[in-house]
């Protein structure tokens, strides 16, 4: 069933943002630190068994100079700089095997797939990148409240910084055209891509499929579905830390980040999706700062989201945006 | 939790098969009829937006000369006859979009992906091929008991014949090397691939990931999970048709089909898989007629089955089998 | 909990109907065709073991002259023409055994119980009538989207035509008084009875217990419960067929049919019924064309619906309506 | 799935009974007391609206002379003494409306349907008979542990005595042939009928559809399904009363009662029924004392049990047993 | 998710009460009767193994002079009259062991813990007090509808009278200061404490954690969670008794009782609590008659309710209220 | 239902242990390191509002000298050294408020309640102690697989070392008699207490209520319940790390630890407990090294486990063991 406001209300839903005064400072310093500690990325050829794609096992330096793994897939039989899709992965997922990420190289793009540090053990694709930061203060199992005791320690500070650095890594690669980079992801991957588009310097396009990590304060009130439920469980248990938790998340809220984006964007939203409820997605979409934006509304879909139909539209969208 | 016999028992589990006397006649006539009514396949170029793959929207004639849709993906920048993977799809799925099937072309093979007639409306990939046969006698929603009133009318008679014809179609394609054809699928797709390997003339390899449609009589007794549960619901409601139902299914049972296969095969089985319980898979595997066979046992997995790990092994296996 | 609008709103809920321009033509042609292909019904005595009821195993011609099974129960020790209740059965049910339908003969009426073609294998009463129409384009398991590719192919075109022909069959029987025929059913049976009352020529009464098959467009938005969920699953998967699906269902929507009814009617609705949500029932009730109508509102009931309480009221209602 | 021993083991399953030494004394005294306090039953004509059945609202004296309600249905147009089916109702049910019990009068029998004291408020048919005994010591919601503090106070002492008195009431009615009385019920109704057959003097037949209330000690160990789960919850909470609870139930265990029965019996059992697990039914069946007995094994059914198929067989069985 | 009105609306929610005309008479007579039949309470020393608390196994006379059990815990090493917390227990619970109730004696108070007659067999703490009243008319398993046929027979008439008598018992104990008695409980315990504060003569404080038994008419409409669901199941089954049921509950509704209270009170409410929905709690809180009242709103909590956080506040609140 | 072997088999179940060769070295070095980095514990008086207990907010140094929080509760009005219960907390719990731990001080013992580092955010009691170790390699949400990449990094290495240091802390406190220290806990708390008894030097008694963390290899095969399910999810996703995972857990397996214990012990086990299955508990119990041991078998209980009944027995047991 439809689980949120009627579509007409969603289209004009613009809640008052809860934006910390030092939001931009926080991110400027965080990213500057990461870049200051950066080392050149390493690209080790990987024997994937695939014959139309050159695969590289990538190690780049992410948050605080920490090593982060990725796959780089380059379509064979191409020459010169390629446009590139930097891809981010959903909750509890990891980079898995390169053969799990074949869309964008098949479409003719370089494809850099960033691993999710510390994730990838939840029954889906697996990750290999550790999260060297302290596990820290008590938090609810999962990633949403890891390090929630402050913006400095939040897991998403590290993950979003990794994402910006993944874009940096793509930009610096000799086979990639730095002017033609798109960011892409669905659910958590969409939230990360949104952050990368907002924080990582200008990109040429953003493909954001039902982005997670938007409008936390509302999400906690209107859905029982995970992963937002982790946040509810946290403040339900650590009641004296409620203000602290929401104040921390303001630094990572897609609604605040979207306003800083400048790229053309194709969003999607599913009106029966309790995992990424429609109003949380529209709150970010309606505030998106880029000049051209569009959103595909899947009225009867849940968190299976845009799926392959959305991918089909994304392929067409990128053809125009990246050439 | 482990849901079936201990592994040691599974490895030697050889139940008495319930094989109809006219099993081979039935199939010989069925396939001869289909081939007698066959028309040449049509391959319409399809603008998928993918730049490293040539995609064709295929219509071939399947059961009784009825049109069946498929995708053919050919890796670009190749010449001469290619080895080919003929791929079959899981329960309630359909051929969807070509970008949902990129593994085998990326691995350098031609890839023919057969649509499931009448399926593809269950929340996963969608199908476009109708099932022109009469809906027929009352049956439980789903496909397992459609037409179960006789082997002649069983849905799986049509689907398996389509599969054999898909292999025929691949064999006849000018860009495909008829000596280097593999069949592949998981779950229902595995069951179809098993049937195609057994009935469709010699193939070079079979990749059967947790095959469904094996050992119906036991499956109905040991699992509550769908789709086998459709069979239980059927005989629970139409009690006077119990013998009829199981007698019909004997013609489509992977245990009977496996004995007729001759190709090298790589199976998988997951010991916590209630959808395709281990003993039903081993019953087929232990009776497989091919000279070289292997089975990957995923001890702690459920119906997520072999997944990307299995794909990785399949890529290596095909490299050796097809070159 | 209450699952829809407050009762006061329900009582005045009159959504704009989405009625195809050729709605009446469509049905006129469909019924004319069926009647043109009709053959006389056959009534074979059936040894039910019941001693106060004469039971006949009926075969009449329904949609396109296809044979449909039914039971006819006549109370023994009666003479002359009897009033008759033509009874329709709920989703996934079939005519089962005659001893499952004893209310109306015990109440002194002839009772014609129509089988549901192709249904009756879902754990409830069983059916024996096949559906000879092609299974057709991919659809979601169940009956709601079978043939949904066009009004011509929709399963409900066949089932509703069967229902009209069942009323014809009752009218033509020598022991039945054609002026005193009522239609009756609950849930899907209520939806079929509604259609029979609207399309089948004047009947003397309609007993519609929580009718299903009303106001599809709203049902798909407000409930997750089956069978309406089949429709959601269908458009969720076959997204490009959304308009087609709803356009087809407009021809079978109880809201459109109700306006054409002329019989006195007793409805029921249950305010906690997610299967047949209250607003979908009231949308039909409020548009019912008959001169006398009443609706029994069961405030705290779910899809157990009117149940035996409603039956008690129906018996009293028929006493007045049919004598 | 099959939930208990293989069928071959079930057929020979004869656990050591746990029979109290004073079992027969207990019941002899209990029934003698009830009969000593008995008053003549009252039969008030009831305007059911049914025209082929004469319905009477019955009040007879049950346990300790307490009034118990029932329906008596007599097929019209009959003369002389009729054979009679005394019918007992499932867990949480009550006598509801007379039109909910039409099978046996339609089959030509008198039908006395006993209300369940204090039950009938669980979503199914409703009861009207109070249970005037003290609610008593703490017990788990439901009826299984009501009064479990001793055989004297157990709810089932009262209910089984009511059942014996219902048979007495039928025997004494002028329109009923006392030599041709059958007892009938399913689930709890089957357990009550079993008790009535064992304790209520010779009856001509017993129809016991998946009887509940058999082999409590095993049931508590092998199923999580209700109502046996009430017993588990009870001893789980009131741990110091475990011995007391099982010792009380021994007086009401169908395994002990069955040995005392002398009537021909038709049982049923469903091999996927977690509510009345197969071994508990066979434990009673295998100990049944009557000369002729048969059991219909529904291999793939759950607690929908014998259902209408079993009714069909029961009708045939009674034809022979009662004439 | 939030399950009821927004907080601002809750704070001003004052539904029209449905208060019987003889409400005060009913209670005056009921309590006068109980006190007329009262006998002195008995306090038997109990060897709990606890060394800092003196424990007594209490038997006092409750409703109609019936014996009710309780624990009295007195902190050792104290002299003179102590303030006392009279404690009431949640649904399906009982007094269990004294070591399950250690908070208030540790805080320095006498603590009288009243057993719940007839409850205590649902998987939580066990009870030992029987309910000698007749089980009575059919009702839904549980306590909410036991005796619902009239205010005179309602289970809650007995339980609330027990509670008033528990306060009487505390007042009369030589070690307890009758001017410094608080009532306390959560969920059902909160509802009982509310009743005791309203009916039992002036108390010095009331600690009401998410009180149950408030605003039955709304609760039945807005939640599917138990125990209110028992009420829905009852009126769903015994439909002709709907008016009777709600009319009976009016005598026990916390909304009516709250208006009669005079003590300072600390409530709590949890905005995600489907068991005791927020509007039912606020309906009572907003009508509370005492001079000082406060309510702790736990925004993200469910029926785990105030929990240990609330206890911490209650300890502070009592320090001020009782000294 | 019973979920494991019959009781007789459980009593003699002694699986071959999988004990690493360097098991004792590993623990000796780990504990020596911790003690080398230890600083004196701090005991800050805490204003709990409780008047019969002196509460201290404790900070002691645990694993690697890291600060760990605890509560110390001392019954007032006592003199001289007290026996002490060192208490450990269940999965996802934390030390919460001191008023949540009142049993043992009420029983006359000092009670040191150790916080669970990093836990306490799962809906139960909350924790305040951070886990400063790196979050590390990808793991399944929860604690069971945190750091599972090696025994050195396993979360349980840190938690068990904290536990040993908690016992050290108790021993060193001036008000505690170092010869009369017991360890106590249920579920995870039981597993920690078992480790503390095995590794922490001689204690006077161990109270182990359904201990978790025993016989991981079997647990992963026989239960779907959490937290063992985390381990299954981990090896299901990170399949190449299966050997690594189980090899790591061998260092923390209660079966290996139990053999090293020397204290008298009272265990409990619940035969319907899927969370801590009976055979995993008996595997540890049967290998317990202490001279006196007993186990209370709760036949019909699940993971509510021994509960208050067990506490009652523990109080009696400690009276004898500690005086």
């Amino acid at each position: 069933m439809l689980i949120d406001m009627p579509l007409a209300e969603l289209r004009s839903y613009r809640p008052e943002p809860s934006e910390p005064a030092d939001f931009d400072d926080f991110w400027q310093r965080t990213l500057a630190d990461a870049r200051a500690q950066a080392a050149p990325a390493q690209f080790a050829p990987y024997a994937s068994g695939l014959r139309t794609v050159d695969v590289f096992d990538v190690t780049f330096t992410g948050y605080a100079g920490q090593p982060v793994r990725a796959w780089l897939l380059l379509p064979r039989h191409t020459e010169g700089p390629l446009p590139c899709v930097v891809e981010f992965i959903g909750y509890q997922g990891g980079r898995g095997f390169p053969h799990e990420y074949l869309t964008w190289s098949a479409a003719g793009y370089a494809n850099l797939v960033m691993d999710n540090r510390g994730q990838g053990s939840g029954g889906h694709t697996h990750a290999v990148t550790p999260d060297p930061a302290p596990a820290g203060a008590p938090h609810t199992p999962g990633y949403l409240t890891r390090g929630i005791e402050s913006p400095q320690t939040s897991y998403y500070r590290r993950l979003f910084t990794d994402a910006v650095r993944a874009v940096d890594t793509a930009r610096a690669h000799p086979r990639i055209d730095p002017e033609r980079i798109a960011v892409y992801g669905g659910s958590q991957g969409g939230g990360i891509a949104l952050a990368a588009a907002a924080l990582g310097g200008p990109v040429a396009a953003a493909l954001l499929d039902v982005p997670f990590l938007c409008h936390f304060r509302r999400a906690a009130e209107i859905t029982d579905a995970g992963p937002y439920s982790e946040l509810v469980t946290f403040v339900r248990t650590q009641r004296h830390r409620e203000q602290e938790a929401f104040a921390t998340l303001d630094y990572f809220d897609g609604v605040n980040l979207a306003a800083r984006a400048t790229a053309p964007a194709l969003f999607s939203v599913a009106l029966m999706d309790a995992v990424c409820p429609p109003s949380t997605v529209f709150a970010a979409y309606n505030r998106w700062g880029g000049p051209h934006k569009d959103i595909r509304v899947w009225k009867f879909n849940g968190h299976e989201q845009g799926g392959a139909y959305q991918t089909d539209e994304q392929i067409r969208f990128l053809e125009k945006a990246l050439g």
Side-chain angles (χ1 to χ4, degrees), chain A residues 46-48 50 55 71-73 95-102 113:
Chain A
Y46 177 83
S48 69
L50 303 173
V55 179
W71 297 119
L72 177 65
L73 294 88
R95 69 168 194 172
F97 292 88
H99 61 254
E100 300 184 81
Y101 300 93
L102 292 175
V113 183

Side-chain angles (χ1 to χ4, degrees), chain A residues 197-265:
Chain A
L199 301 170
V203 292
L207 306 173
L208 310 175
D209 195 13
V210 293
F212 178 54
L213 303 168
C214 295
H215 206 354
F216 296 103
R217 289 169 190 265
R218 178 167 169 87
E221 294 185 358
I222 64 168
T223 184
D224 290 333
Y228 283 126
S229 63
E230 293 174 14
L231 177 55
V232 173
T233 300
F234 180 80
V235 294
R236 172 174 289 184
T237 318
Q238 298 265 355
R239 304 186 196 183
H240 57 288
R241 295 174 62 192
E242 178 185 322
Q243 298 308 317
E244 165 194 314
F246 285 104
T248 289
L249 291 174
D250 285 342
Y251 288 84
F252 308 98
D253 194 320
V255 178
N256 293 335
L257 289 160
R260 285 152 175 87
T262 59

